Amino acid sequence: MHNLKLYGLALVAALTLASPVAAQDAPQWSFAIHGGAGVIERANLSPEQDAAYRAALTRALEAGAEVLRNGGEALDAVEAAIRLMEDDPLFNAGRGAVFTGAGRNELDAAVMNGADLTAGAVAGLTTTRHPIAAARAVMEQSPHVMLIGSGADAFAASQGLEQVDPSYFFTERRWQGLVKFLTDNSLPIPERPAGAPPAGMASLEPAPPLNERKFGTVGAVALDGQGRLAAGTSTGGTTGKRWGRVGDVPVIGAGTYASNRDGCAVSATGDGEFYIRASVARDICSRIADGATGQVAAQAEVDDALSLGGSGGVIVMDAQGRPAFAMTTTGMYRGSIRADAPAEVAIYGDEQ
Ligand code: ASP
Protein backbone atom coordinates (compact mmCIF):
# COMPACT_ATOMS: atom_id res chain seq x y z
CA MET A 1 0.00 0.00 0.00
CA HIS A 2 2.77 2.36 1.03
CA ASN A 3 4.65 1.52 -2.17
CA LEU A 4 1.57 1.99 -4.23
CA LYS A 5 1.05 5.42 -2.72
CA LEU A 6 4.62 6.39 -3.52
CA TYR A 7 4.22 5.08 -7.05
CA GLY A 8 1.06 7.14 -7.41
CA LEU A 9 2.81 10.28 -6.19
CA ALA A 10 5.70 9.71 -8.57
CA LEU A 11 3.25 9.29 -11.44
CA VAL A 12 1.48 12.53 -10.58
CA ALA A 13 4.84 14.33 -10.37
CA ALA A 14 5.94 12.93 -13.73
CA LEU A 15 2.66 13.89 -15.38
CA THR A 16 2.83 17.36 -13.89
CA LEU A 17 6.35 17.89 -15.20
CA ALA A 18 5.38 16.65 -18.62
CA SER A 19 2.09 18.51 -18.91
CA PRO A 20 1.95 21.53 -21.22
CA VAL A 21 0.41 23.63 -18.45
CA ALA A 22 3.48 23.12 -16.27
CA ALA A 23 5.76 23.96 -19.20
CA GLN A 24 3.80 27.15 -19.84
CA ASP A 25 4.04 28.19 -16.21
CA ALA A 26 7.83 27.83 -16.10
CA PRO A 27 9.42 31.25 -16.62
CA GLN A 28 10.70 31.65 -20.16
CA TRP A 29 14.22 33.05 -20.15
CA SER A 30 14.71 36.39 -21.80
CA PHE A 31 17.71 38.62 -22.38
CA ALA A 32 18.33 42.18 -23.60
CA ILE A 33 21.40 44.37 -24.06
CA HIS A 34 22.43 47.88 -24.99
CA GLY A 35 25.65 49.30 -26.36
CA GLY A 36 25.01 52.97 -25.57
CA ALA A 37 22.63 55.69 -26.73
CA GLY A 38 23.35 58.97 -28.49
CA VAL A 39 23.24 60.94 -31.70
CA ILE A 40 23.28 57.84 -33.84
CA GLU A 41 21.80 58.50 -37.27
CA ARG A 42 21.95 56.63 -40.55
CA ALA A 43 23.90 59.50 -42.08
CA ASN A 44 26.62 59.09 -39.42
CA LEU A 45 27.22 55.36 -39.84
CA SER A 46 28.64 53.78 -42.98
CA PRO A 47 27.05 50.48 -44.06
CA GLU A 48 30.18 48.73 -42.77
CA GLN A 49 29.97 50.42 -39.36
CA ASP A 50 26.26 49.68 -39.14
CA ALA A 51 26.95 46.02 -39.93
CA ALA A 52 29.86 45.84 -37.45
CA TYR A 53 27.66 47.10 -34.60
CA ARG A 54 24.84 44.72 -35.47
CA ALA A 55 27.26 41.79 -35.58
CA ALA A 56 28.80 42.77 -32.22
CA LEU A 57 25.36 43.10 -30.60
CA THR A 58 24.30 39.73 -32.00
CA ARG A 59 27.44 38.06 -30.63
CA ALA A 60 26.79 39.50 -27.18
CA LEU A 61 23.12 38.44 -27.28
CA GLU A 62 24.10 34.92 -28.27
CA ALA A 63 26.65 34.73 -25.45
CA GLY A 64 23.96 35.55 -22.89
CA ALA A 65 21.37 33.33 -24.55
CA GLU A 66 23.76 30.38 -24.51
CA VAL A 67 23.94 30.59 -20.72
CA LEU A 68 20.16 30.88 -20.31
CA ARG A 69 19.32 28.20 -22.87
CA ASN A 70 21.42 25.77 -20.86
CA GLY A 71 19.56 26.54 -17.66
CA GLY A 72 22.20 28.99 -16.39
CA GLU A 73 21.74 31.99 -14.12
CA ALA A 74 20.63 35.47 -15.16
CA LEU A 75 23.80 36.87 -13.57
CA ASP A 76 26.04 34.61 -15.65
CA ALA A 77 24.26 35.67 -18.83
CA VAL A 78 24.71 39.35 -17.95
CA GLU A 79 28.40 38.87 -17.20
CA ALA A 80 29.08 36.78 -20.33
CA ALA A 81 27.57 39.35 -22.69
CA ILE A 82 29.20 42.34 -21.01
CA ARG A 83 32.64 40.69 -20.97
CA LEU A 84 32.41 40.27 -24.75
CA MET A 85 31.43 43.91 -25.22
CA GLU A 86 34.22 45.03 -22.86
CA ASP A 87 36.67 43.26 -25.18
CA ASP A 88 35.19 44.92 -28.28
CA PRO A 89 36.73 48.32 -29.15
CA LEU A 90 33.45 49.44 -30.72
CA PHE A 91 32.04 50.06 -27.25
CA ASN A 92 32.92 52.53 -24.50
CA ALA A 93 33.71 49.83 -21.94
CA GLY A 94 36.90 47.90 -21.26
CA ARG A 95 39.06 48.10 -24.41
CA GLY A 96 37.74 51.07 -26.36
CA ALA A 97 36.78 53.11 -23.30
CA VAL A 98 36.84 56.90 -23.59
CA PHE A 99 39.68 58.93 -22.04
CA THR A 100 39.67 61.22 -19.05
CA GLY A 101 40.95 64.80 -19.43
CA ALA A 102 44.29 63.53 -18.12
CA GLY A 103 44.52 60.95 -20.90
CA ARG A 104 43.67 57.86 -18.84
CA ASN A 105 41.00 55.17 -19.09
CA GLU A 106 39.05 54.94 -15.82
CA LEU A 107 36.40 52.25 -15.87
CA ASP A 108 33.11 51.93 -13.93
CA ALA A 109 30.80 48.90 -13.69
CA ALA A 110 28.00 47.45 -11.58
CA VAL A 111 25.94 44.31 -11.30
CA MET A 112 22.83 43.51 -9.29
CA ASN A 113 21.11 40.23 -8.48
CA GLY A 114 17.36 40.81 -8.32
CA ALA A 115 16.74 37.52 -6.54
CA ASP A 116 18.40 38.58 -3.28
CA LEU A 117 19.05 42.30 -3.89
CA THR A 118 22.80 41.88 -3.61
CA ALA A 119 24.89 44.30 -5.67
CA GLY A 120 28.51 45.06 -6.51
CA ALA A 121 30.13 48.08 -8.14
CA VAL A 122 33.56 49.41 -9.08
CA ALA A 123 34.70 52.86 -10.15
CA GLY A 124 37.92 54.24 -11.60
CA LEU A 125 39.55 50.91 -12.49
CA THR A 126 42.68 51.24 -14.62
CA THR A 127 44.15 47.73 -14.84
CA THR A 128 41.33 45.18 -14.59
CA ARG A 129 40.47 43.80 -18.02
CA HIS A 130 36.83 43.00 -17.21
CA PRO A 131 35.30 45.58 -14.86
CA ILE A 132 31.98 43.69 -14.86
CA ALA A 133 33.74 40.65 -13.36
CA ALA A 134 35.28 42.91 -10.71
CA ALA A 135 31.83 44.27 -9.83
CA ARG A 136 30.52 40.75 -9.49
CA ALA A 137 33.46 39.77 -7.27
CA VAL A 138 32.70 42.75 -5.02
CA MET A 139 29.12 41.51 -4.74
CA GLU A 140 29.97 37.89 -4.09
CA GLN A 141 33.38 37.92 -2.41
CA SER A 142 33.49 41.10 -0.33
CA PRO A 143 31.35 42.54 2.44
CA HIS A 144 31.05 45.79 0.45
CA VAL A 145 28.97 47.14 -2.41
CA MET A 146 31.31 49.65 -4.08
CA LEU A 147 35.10 49.78 -4.39
CA ILE A 148 37.07 52.52 -6.17
CA GLY A 149 40.43 53.20 -7.77
CA SER A 150 43.62 51.30 -7.04
CA GLY A 151 41.97 49.47 -4.13
CA ALA A 152 39.33 48.11 -6.47
CA ASP A 153 41.98 46.94 -8.97
CA ALA A 154 43.96 45.33 -6.13
CA PHE A 155 40.84 43.53 -4.91
CA ALA A 156 40.10 42.31 -8.46
CA ALA A 157 43.68 41.01 -8.77
CA SER A 158 43.36 39.25 -5.41
CA GLN A 159 40.28 37.48 -6.82
CA GLY A 160 42.33 36.18 -9.76
CA LEU A 161 40.81 38.58 -12.30
CA GLU A 162 43.05 39.36 -15.26
CA GLN A 163 45.16 42.51 -14.90
CA VAL A 164 46.50 44.39 -17.92
CA ASP A 165 48.76 47.35 -18.63
CA PRO A 166 46.57 50.50 -18.81
CA SER A 167 47.59 50.88 -22.47
CA TYR A 168 45.54 47.74 -23.24
CA PHE A 169 42.42 49.94 -23.15
CA PHE A 170 43.85 52.46 -25.67
CA THR A 171 42.15 52.95 -29.03
CA GLU A 172 43.02 55.63 -31.56
CA ARG A 173 39.37 56.46 -32.13
CA ARG A 174 38.80 57.37 -28.48
CA TRP A 175 42.12 59.20 -28.24
CA GLN A 176 41.15 61.39 -31.22
CA GLY A 177 37.78 61.93 -29.53
CA LEU A 178 39.60 63.26 -26.47
CA VAL A 179 41.89 65.50 -28.52
CA LYS A 180 38.86 66.99 -30.26
CA PHE A 181 36.95 67.49 -27.01
CA LEU A 182 39.90 69.20 -25.32
CA THR A 183 40.62 71.34 -28.38
CA ASP A 184 36.96 72.43 -28.63
CA ASN A 185 37.01 73.37 -24.95
CA SER A 186 40.41 75.10 -25.06
CA LEU A 187 41.84 72.63 -22.56
CA PRO A 188 45.41 71.31 -22.56
CA ILE A 189 46.04 68.05 -24.41
CA PRO A 190 47.98 65.50 -22.35
CA GLU A 191 50.80 63.39 -23.76
CA ARG A 192 49.89 60.22 -25.59
CA PRO A 193 49.74 57.51 -22.92
CA ALA A 194 52.79 55.32 -22.31
CA GLY A 195 52.47 52.07 -24.20
CA ALA A 196 50.03 53.45 -26.80
CA PRO A 197 50.89 52.65 -30.42
CA PRO A 198 52.70 55.48 -32.21
CA ALA A 199 50.33 57.98 -33.84
CA GLY A 200 51.22 56.76 -37.35
CA MET A 201 49.74 53.31 -36.60
CA ALA A 202 46.22 54.76 -36.32
CA SER A 203 45.13 53.51 -39.72
CA LEU A 204 45.61 49.91 -38.58
CA GLU A 205 42.62 50.19 -36.26
CA PRO A 206 38.94 50.00 -37.06
CA ALA A 207 38.04 53.61 -36.39
CA PRO A 208 34.42 54.59 -36.88
CA PRO A 209 34.90 58.37 -36.86
CA LEU A 210 31.83 59.17 -34.80
CA ASN A 211 31.98 62.64 -33.41
CA GLU A 212 30.83 61.56 -29.98
CA ARG A 213 31.84 62.77 -26.57
CA LYS A 214 30.49 59.75 -24.76
CA PHE A 215 28.08 56.87 -25.32
CA GLY A 216 28.91 53.30 -26.14
CA THR A 217 28.37 52.22 -22.55
CA VAL A 218 27.21 48.60 -22.43
CA GLY A 219 24.56 46.90 -20.32
CA ALA A 220 22.46 43.78 -20.03
CA VAL A 221 19.27 42.65 -18.27
CA ALA A 222 18.17 39.04 -17.91
CA LEU A 223 15.41 36.77 -16.66
CA ASP A 224 16.47 33.14 -16.26
CA GLY A 225 14.44 29.94 -16.29
CA GLN A 226 14.22 30.04 -12.49
CA GLY A 227 12.61 33.48 -12.62
CA ARG A 228 15.67 35.35 -11.35
CA LEU A 229 16.27 38.86 -12.68
CA ALA A 230 19.71 40.49 -12.99
CA ALA A 231 21.21 43.67 -14.43
CA GLY A 232 24.74 44.84 -15.24
CA THR A 233 26.37 47.89 -16.82
CA SER A 234 29.97 48.78 -17.76
CA THR A 235 31.48 52.01 -19.08
CA GLY A 236 34.50 54.24 -19.56
CA GLY A 237 32.27 57.17 -18.56
CA THR A 238 32.43 60.45 -20.47
CA THR A 239 35.25 61.81 -22.63
CA GLY A 240 37.35 64.41 -20.85
CA LYS A 241 35.92 63.63 -17.38
CA ARG A 242 38.03 65.13 -14.61
CA TRP A 243 38.84 65.02 -10.92
CA GLY A 244 37.94 61.37 -10.43
CA ARG A 245 34.43 61.83 -11.84
CA VAL A 246 32.14 58.82 -11.35
CA GLY A 247 28.95 58.46 -13.38
CA ASP A 248 25.65 56.73 -12.81
CA VAL A 249 26.73 53.24 -13.87
CA PRO A 250 28.20 52.08 -10.54
CA VAL A 251 25.63 53.99 -8.49
CA ILE A 252 23.09 51.30 -7.59
CA GLY A 253 19.61 52.65 -8.35
CA ALA A 254 20.87 55.25 -10.83
CA GLY A 255 22.31 53.39 -13.84
CA THR A 256 21.85 49.81 -12.66
CA TYR A 257 19.15 48.07 -10.60
CA ALA A 258 17.39 44.69 -10.39
CA SER A 259 14.69 43.49 -8.02
CA ASN A 260 12.57 40.36 -8.07
CA ARG A 261 10.37 42.05 -5.47
CA ASP A 262 9.49 44.77 -7.96
CA GLY A 263 9.75 42.47 -10.98
CA CYS A 264 12.31 44.42 -12.96
CA ALA A 265 15.92 44.76 -14.07
CA VAL A 266 17.31 48.00 -15.54
CA SER A 267 20.51 49.17 -17.21
CA ALA A 268 20.89 52.78 -18.32
CA THR A 269 23.09 54.78 -20.65
CA GLY A 270 23.39 58.52 -21.12
CA ASP A 271 24.42 61.60 -19.18
CA GLY A 272 25.15 59.98 -15.85
CA GLU A 273 24.81 63.10 -13.72
CA PHE A 274 21.08 63.31 -14.50
CA TYR A 275 20.54 59.59 -13.97
CA ILE A 276 22.06 59.92 -10.51
CA ARG A 277 19.97 62.96 -9.60
CA ALA A 278 16.74 61.23 -10.69
CA SER A 279 17.51 57.70 -9.36
CA VAL A 280 16.39 56.48 -12.76
CA ALA A 281 16.83 52.70 -12.48
CA ARG A 282 15.26 52.48 -9.02
CA ASP A 283 12.39 54.72 -10.06
CA ILE A 284 11.59 52.55 -13.08
CA CYS A 285 11.33 49.55 -10.76
CA SER A 286 8.98 51.45 -8.44
CA ARG A 287 6.79 52.38 -11.37
CA ILE A 288 6.63 48.72 -12.43
CA ALA A 289 5.89 47.60 -8.86
CA ASP A 290 3.02 50.12 -8.92
CA GLY A 291 1.57 48.45 -12.01
CA ALA A 292 3.11 50.21 -15.01
CA THR A 293 4.33 48.09 -17.91
CA GLY A 294 8.10 48.08 -18.48
CA GLN A 295 7.70 50.14 -21.63
CA VAL A 296 5.53 52.82 -20.03
CA ALA A 297 7.72 52.96 -16.91
CA ALA A 298 10.91 53.24 -18.96
CA GLN A 299 9.68 55.95 -21.31
CA ALA A 300 7.99 57.99 -18.55
CA GLU A 301 11.11 57.82 -16.42
CA VAL A 302 13.60 58.85 -19.09
CA ASP A 303 11.30 61.66 -20.21
CA ASP A 304 10.92 62.89 -16.61
CA ALA A 305 14.52 62.41 -15.55
CA LEU A 306 16.01 63.88 -18.66
CA SER A 307 13.77 66.94 -18.46
CA LEU A 308 16.39 67.93 -15.85
CA GLY A 309 18.94 67.88 -18.70
CA GLY A 310 21.06 65.49 -20.72
CA SER A 311 19.95 62.60 -22.88
CA GLY A 312 20.13 58.83 -23.06
CA GLY A 313 18.20 55.60 -22.83
CA VAL A 314 17.40 52.54 -20.72
CA ILE A 315 16.70 48.86 -21.17
CA VAL A 316 14.27 47.07 -18.87
CA MET A 317 13.32 43.44 -18.27
CA ASP A 318 10.13 42.56 -16.39
CA ALA A 319 9.26 39.40 -14.45
CA GLN A 320 7.43 37.98 -17.49
CA GLY A 321 10.52 38.36 -19.63
CA ARG A 322 9.23 41.28 -21.68
CA PRO A 323 12.13 43.53 -22.72
CA ALA A 324 11.52 47.27 -23.03
CA PHE A 325 13.68 49.97 -24.59
CA ALA A 326 13.27 53.72 -24.20
CA MET A 327 15.44 56.67 -25.19
CA THR A 328 15.44 60.40 -25.70
CA THR A 329 18.22 60.15 -28.28
CA THR A 330 18.06 59.44 -32.01
CA GLY A 331 19.52 56.00 -31.48
CA MET A 332 20.62 53.31 -29.06
CA TYR A 333 22.57 50.16 -29.90
CA ARG A 334 20.30 47.45 -28.54
CA GLY A 335 18.92 43.96 -28.91
CA SER A 336 16.94 41.16 -27.33
CA ILE A 337 16.51 37.41 -27.51
CA ARG A 338 14.08 35.08 -25.72
CA ALA A 339 13.46 31.39 -25.29
CA ASP A 340 10.68 31.70 -27.85
CA ALA A 341 12.10 34.40 -30.15
CA PRO A 342 15.35 34.79 -32.14
CA ALA A 343 17.91 37.56 -31.66
CA GLU A 344 16.82 40.99 -32.85
CA VAL A 345 19.09 44.00 -32.92
CA ALA A 346 18.40 47.67 -33.65
CA ILE A 347 20.33 50.93 -33.76
CA TYR A 348 18.12 53.83 -34.81
CA GLY A 349 15.18 55.20 -32.87
CA ASP A 350 12.70 54.45 -35.65
CA GLU A 351 13.45 50.71 -35.73
CA GLN A 352 11.06 48.42 -33.89
N1 ASP B 1 26.16 56.85 -18.28
C1 ASP B 1 27.57 56.88 -18.55
C2 ASP B 1 28.23 57.83 -17.60
O1 ASP B 1 27.69 58.90 -17.38
C3 ASP B 1 27.91 57.27 -19.94
C4 ASP B 1 27.06 56.65 -21.01
O2 ASP B 1 26.20 55.85 -20.75
O3 ASP B 1 27.25 56.99 -22.16
O4 ASP B 1 29.28 57.54 -17.12
Side-chain angles (χ1 to χ4, degrees):
M1 174 64 188
H2 184 63
N3 277 350
L4 204 63
K5 207 165 160 192
L6 273 183
Y7 175 72
L9 279 178
L11 194 67
V12 170
L15 285 175
T16 309
L17 279 177
S19 82
V21 174
Q24 250 174 27
D25 286 349
Q28 293 271 14
W29 62 260
S30 184
F31 189 59
I33 58 171
H34 70 78
V39 185
I40 309 167
E41 287 161 4
R42 285 182 179 81
N44 298 339
L45 281 188
S46 70
E48 293 74 27
Q49 290 162 353
D50 180 299
Y53 274 103
R54 288 179 198 271
L57 291 168
T58 305
R59 275 195 301 275
L61 279 176
E62 288 296 347
E66 183 65 12
V67 171
L68 298 168
R69 209 176 271 134
N70 292 322
E73 281 187 44
L75 269 175
D76 288 329
V78 164
E79 183 180 342
I82 292 182
R83 273 177 176 256
L84 263 190
M85 292 192 281
E86 286 176 339
D87 284 344
D88 191 329
L90 285 176
F91 300 107
N92 172 19
R95 180 151 186 270
V98 300
F99 286 90
T100 68
R104 291 155 53 91
N105 300 113
E106 295 181 1
L107 313 171
D108 302 342
V111 70
M112 185 154 182
N113 182 355
D116 61 6
L117 302 185
T118 53
V122 288
L125 297 184
T126 60
T127 61
T128 301
R129 177 172 173 184
H130 293 118
I132 194 69
R136 185 162 178 189
V138 172
M139 176 174 81
E140 293 178 342
Q141 309 297 337
S142 90
H144 307 302
V145 169
M146 188 191 287
L147 301 182
I148 63 165
S150 56
D153 278 317
F155 171 74
S158 77
Q159 295 300 309
L161 297 181
E162 185 176 348
Q163 299 296 296
V164 293
D165 186 85
S167 63
Y168 163 82
F169 300 110
F170 181 95
T171 55
E172 191 64 35
R173 166 198 181 186
R174 297 300 189 179
W175 182 255
Q176 292 309 326
L178 175 69
V179 170
K180 178 170 190 327
F181 170 78
L182 295 175
T183 307
D184 289 351
N185 289 279
S186 309
L187 289 165
I189 296 170
E191 277 189 27
R192 237 173 133 82
M201 303 289 281
S203 59
L204 296 180
E205 279 189 19
L210 289 181
N211 181 13
E212 55 188 11
R213 176 181 168 218
K214 49 183 175 289
F215 304 129
T217 291
V218 305
V221 290
L223 173 75
D224 66 27
Q226 309 291 310
R228 292 170 295 217
L229 287 155
T233 318
S234 181
T235 189
T238 51
T239 299
K241 65 184 182 180
R242 296 202 277 171
W243 311 298
R245 181 261 188 193
V246 175
D248 60 314
V249 165
V251 177
I252 299 300
T256 309
Y257 198 75
S259 165
N260 272 75
R261 279 196 215 162
D262 295 337
C264 79
V266 182
S267 173
T269 175
D271 290 293
E273 281 70 11
F274 298 99
Y275 282 75
I276 295 173
R277 287 164 57 189
S279 304
V280 166
R282 181 71 192 86
D283 250 23
I284 290 174
C285 288
S286 297
R287 288 176 191 259
I288 290 175
D290 289 345
T293 64
Q295 190 61 48
V296 166
Q299 194 65 54
E301 183 63 27
V302 290
D303 289 344
D304 267 14
L306 299 174
S307 67
L308 297 175
S311 63
V314 294
I315 60 171
V316 178
M317 180 66 66
D318 73 10
Q320 285 73 44
R322 289 174 299 214
F325 304 89
M327 66 193 103
T328 65
T329 48
T330 53
M332 176 165 70
Y333 302 108
R334 60 197 187 278
S336 65
I337 185 166
R338 308 161 54 127
D340 56 1
E344 276 180 30
V345 299
I347 298 178
Y348 313 106
D350 59 10
E351 290 179 82
Q352 279 300 331

